[in-house]
Amino acid sequence: MRQTKHKQATANEESMLRIFTVPEAPDSTLGRIEKEISQNIIGFLNEHVVAKEQLLGEIEKDFSNADVPENPHFVSDHTAFLLDKLVAQSVHTASPSFIGHMTSALPYFMLPLSKIMIALNQNLVKIETSKAFTPLERQVLGMMHNLVYANTDTFYDEYMHSERCSLGAFCSGGTIANITALWVARNNLFKATADFAGIAKAGLYRALMHYGYKGAVVLVSERGHYSLAKSADLLGIGRDDVISITTDENNRVDVNAMRQQAKALKDQGIAIMAIVGVAGTTETGNIDPLAAMADLADELQCHFHVDAAWGGATLFSKQYSALLKGVERADSVTIDAHKQMYVPMGAGIVLFKDPEISSNIEHHAEYVLRKGSKDLGSHTLEGSRPGMALLVYASMHILGRKGYELLIDRSIAQAQYFASLIQSQTDFELVSAPELCLLTYRYVPAPLKALLQCQDPILIEQINECLDDLTKYVQKRQRETGKSFVSRTRINPSVYGGQAITVFRVVLANPLTTESILSDVLAEQRELAKSSEIALPKLMSILAQWQTNS
Ligand SMILES: *Cc1c(COP(=O)(O)O)cnc(C)c1O
């Protein structure tokens, strides 16, 4: 750490005004600090291992003073503190052996380009604070809309820069995108009539009274993301009104079960606010049968939303876009640019098939968002917003569709390779095969793998419970050791009759992850499993007991 200066920074008018003035000399403090930060960050990003686990409690000690500092600190001193205490203890999401989450490496150009966004500090809520950025954001929405719906040039000419409606909305992430989509669905279902002001003005209770419904629900597979429950809560229908529908052995929603459930609810006087298809489930990356769901939505005459927060970018790939067939019939679609579009955190997108539908959530105010203005804020949930669209725009140009296609195809090929590597081991079990670049698996000592084929459900259940402990142990130790990281989750594969089991979850989105890293991950897990002092001996005693009995 840099030596703390003895000179004390002081708060006076001159010094406070100075920190808002961009220093011009190349050798200025700014230049020096920037260089130091850049070098440090690049050093951090080039480390091949995940940061050594420091107890969270220890890190908390560095961040536990509730007093606002009385006196100013020098920027250089403060930067040194941040590099030492914050950067050094951060998670290496960019490491090629960090393969457990949807957050991974960024293209290098994001770092310098994001400076433009911060330097200009535009506020996308209204034109008056974001001239040029507003048209740019509308173009990005148009490009993404085109990717999903492939409308005509005339359509985009008419709607891209229309002040009346919007092709979609930019927001901070998939959660807000899903909330916005269901908000539109709700307001469209309970729209104004000759003798009803519409739900936006009159609220849910009066809307239900007016339309004569006993309630309203959203139907989604049991693999639906928890943000849908949050949305339901916020929109006043309640978390219990997100109805979970069973899935098949590939984690895809059972559309017939959804149909029956929807019809039963309708018969009880409940309105179907929306059915939601998942394109890339968070746990296993599977895609619902979207075309069949679009048919169902037609039958039910209800809103069809597709949560493609993770899988949406698959549309860039000619080879794999067909997996999302039917998405073009969705009334709304969520895509997270900060996931498989390799844009920094804080970039979600919701798209509307019919741009006019966004008028259901339109909001105007006198000093901003005046009627007839092109302010984006009149159709968004959020108010003040940064110019993140710039980074999506840049990325779509610098990578191009073909660049994205290459990355998507590569990550799926990588997942397929890893799946076959797992299957070729005598002591690993592939639990969910990859449809996109996600898969789940677990370590199962070879003799127990054979035993799991037996016909005794009680024995299988007992083995699975011990394996859960082993998986948890290995995942935790692997994270703490810090060489690599996979996450874990619980799923209920049909091979075990619906019993929930704990599995390793891998997301292969980092283009720099190599085959040898993947082999090392398995080798490390095997070694860690052997070091287990509780779960492994327990499994071995189950095995020994079975061998004596039979
Ligand atoms: C990530 C994800 C979300 C939530 O997105 P955030 O950007 O984390 O708010 C919603 N649905 C699915 C399927 C996701 O993968």
Side-chain angles (χ1 to χ4, degrees):
M1 193 182 158
R2 161 199 295 273
Q3 285 241 306
T4 326
K5 291 211 176 83
H6 293 296
K7 218 174 107 196
Q8 179 78 45
T10 46
N12 58 40
E13 203 171 323
E14 192 208 354
S15 68
M16 288 301 109
L17 293 183
R18 199 168 50 229
I19 61 171
F20 286 94
T21 317
V22 182
E24 276 165 26
D27 199 25
S28 63
T29 320
L30 178 74
R32 205 166 30 74
I33 291 170
E34 270 199 2
K35 206 164 143 198
E36 190 176 334
I37 293 177
S38 300
Q39 279 167 356
N40 191 293
I41 300 262
I42 288 165
F44 176 84
L45 293 179
N46 281 341
E47 275 188 52
H48 280 282
V49 294
V50 177
K52 237 197 157 62
E53 178 104 337
Q54 170 143 5
L55 287 177
L56 198 57
E58 285 302 304
I59 298 176
E60 281 170 355
K61 284 185 194 153
D62 291 327
F63 299 96
S64 48
N65 189 348
D67 296 326
V68 175
E70 188 61 19
N71 290 309
H73 292 181
F74 284 112
V75 176
S76 48
D77 291 345
H78 187 63
T79 304
F81 169 83
L82 291 178
L83 293 178
D84 184 39
K85 300 294 185 192
L86 185 73
V87 176
Q89 301 300 340
S90 292
V91 176
H92 292 251
T93 58
S95 165
S97 54
F98 184 88
I99 52 172
H101 284 301
M102 292 177 164
T103 307
S104 80
L106 295 175
Y108 81 88
F109 60 79
M110 288 298 171
L111 221 53
L113 290 188
S114 62
K115 264 185 158 178
I116 298 179
M117 184 181 95
I118 304 293
L120 297 178
N121 198 30
Q122 305 288 288
N123 182 350
L124 276 283
V125 72
K126 52 187 185 285
I127 295 270
E128 287 174 1
T129 50
S130 68
K131 215 160 152 188
F133 269 67
T134 293
L136 171 136
E137 183 169 300
R138 285 177 179 274
Q139 186 190 349
V140 171
L141 289 171
M143 289 157 87
M144 294 303 292
H145 193 281
N146 197 4
L147 182 71
V148 173
Y149 298 109
N151 271 309
T152 60
D153 289 350
T154 331
F155 174 91
Y156 292 109
D157 283 348
E158 179 178 351
Y159 288 110
M160 192 182 285
H161 297 287
S162 155
E163 68 276 8
R164 279 186 310 107
C165 45
S166 63
L167 296 169
F170 234 89
C171 52
S172 62
T175 300
I176 306 290
N178 282 339
I179 293 171
T180 308
L182 293 179
W183 183 24
V184 165
R186 188 197 70 160
N187 288 14
N188 193 41
L189 176 65
F190 298 113
K191 58 161 92 65
T193 61
D195 55 347
F196 175 60
I199 190 170
K201 277 192 182 160
L204 183 63
Y205 177 73
R206 269 173 283 190
L208 291 171
M209 297 300 279
H210 173 79
Y211 280 94
Y213 290 125
K214 294 207 186 90
V217 293
V218 172
L219 273 61
V220 65
S221 106
E222 55 192 339
R223 299 272 171 272
H225 192 264
Y226 59 84
S227 56
L228 298 168
K230 283 190 199 170
S231 315
D233 178 353
L234 282 167
L235 293 169
I237 66 168
R239 294 179 183 216
D240 290 348
D241 295 315
V242 176
I243 312 290
S244 280
I245 308 294
T246 50
T247 47
D248 66 14
E249 66 281 6
N250 291 315
N251 303 297
R252 299 184 192 118
V253 74
D254 178 342
V255 181
N256 272 326
M258 186 178 268
R259 176 176 286 107
Q260 279 166 14
Q261 182 71 264
K263 292 200 165 143
L265 288 161
K266 270 188 130 173
D267 288 344
Q268 292 166 39
I270 310 260
I272 312 297
M273 195 166 106
I275 62 171
V276 179
V278 190
T281 56
T282 314
E283 265 129 3
T284 54
N286 292 109
I287 300 165
D288 281 340
L290 302 180
M293 292 188 76
D295 291 342
L296 177 59
D298 284 348
E299 267 172 66
L300 298 169
Q301 295 281 301
C302 73
H303 188 100
F304 176 32
H305 175 64
V306 172
D307 181 1
W310 173 256
T314 311
L315 292 169
F316 288 116
S317 163
K318 285 200 171 134
Q319 189 181 350
Y320 293 109
S321 61
L323 291 173
L324 276 80
K325 187 133 190 53
V327 70
E328 71 287 351
R329 293 169 63 196
D331 296 296
S332 53
V333 177
T334 287
I335 299 179
D336 254 340
H338 64 213
K339 288 183 180 164
Q340 285 200 101
M341 285 180 73
Y342 299 95
V343 167
M345 273 309 119
I349 296 167
V350 61
L351 301 161
F352 308 123
K353 181 180 184 188
D354 174 5
E356 309 273 354
I357 207 177
S358 64
S359 61
N360 285 310
I361 56 166
E362 199 169 304
H363 185 86
H364 294 284
E366 265 321 308
Y367 69 106
V368 290
L369 321 178
R370 291 179 200 95
K371 274 208 163 101
S373 78
K374 295 200 173 186
D375 299 339
L376 287 160
S378 54
H379 295 100
T380 56
L381 174 59
E382 291 165 299
S384 297
R385 271 186 317 108
M388 287 298 289
L390 156 68
L391 299 179
V392 184
Y393 181 86
S395 193
M396 283 201 283
H397 283 83
I398 296 173
L399 273 70
R401 187 201 60 82
K402 286 187 179 164
Y404 274 123
E405 174 174 59
L406 200 138
L407 293 173
I408 296 284
D409 290 358
R410 202 179 178 286
S411 64
I412 294 176
Q414 183 87 293
Q416 287 167 349
Y417 166 80
F418 195 38
S420 62
L421 185 68
I422 290 165
Q423 279 177 314
S424 71
Q425 313 292 313
T426 52
D427 52 356
F428 278 92
E429 178 190 24
L430 182 68
V431 179
S432 66
E435 190 171 5
L436 299 176
C437 64
L438 273 79
L439 59 86
T440 64
Y441 68 102
R442 60 181 181 169
Y443 176 78
V444 183
L448 282 137
K449 236 176 129 177
L451 196 49
L452 277 171
Q453 306 295 321
C454 77
Q455 299 299 319
D456 181 350
I458 294 172
L459 181 62
I460 292 177
E461 202 174 306
Q462 200 187 0
I463 297 171
N464 278 336
E465 276 168 18
C466 288
L467 285 172
D468 286 353
D469 291 340
L470 187 61
T471 308
K472 267 185 254 173
Y473 168 82
V474 171
Q475 192 267 349
K476 192 160 174 280
R477 288 282 293 131
Q478 192 168 25
R479 190 187 69 198
E480 286 166 359
T481 310
K483 277 199 290 222
S484 54
F485 174 81
V486 304
S487 59
R488 69 176 143 86
T489 188
R490 274 174 81 71
I491 57 175
N492 41 357
S494 51
V495 273
Y496 299 120
Q499 182 189 4
I501 59 168
T502 301
V503 291
F504 301 124
R505 168 176 170 268
V506 159
V507 185
L508 289 168
N510 189 328
L512 301 181
T513 304
T514 59
E515 293 185 353
S516 82
I517 288 176
L518 296 175
S519 309
D520 292 349
V521 165
L522 294 186
E524 190 188 8
Q525 289 178 328
R526 178 178 290 122
E527 284 315 303
L528 288 171
K530 286 181 185 158
S531 75
S532 145
E533 282 169 8
I534 301 169
L536 192 64
K538 231 162 133 186
L539 280 163
M540 289 307 152
S541 80
I542 293 176
L543 181 68
Q545 204 179 347
W546 180 81
Q547 279 163 342
T548 17
N549 289 352
S550 56

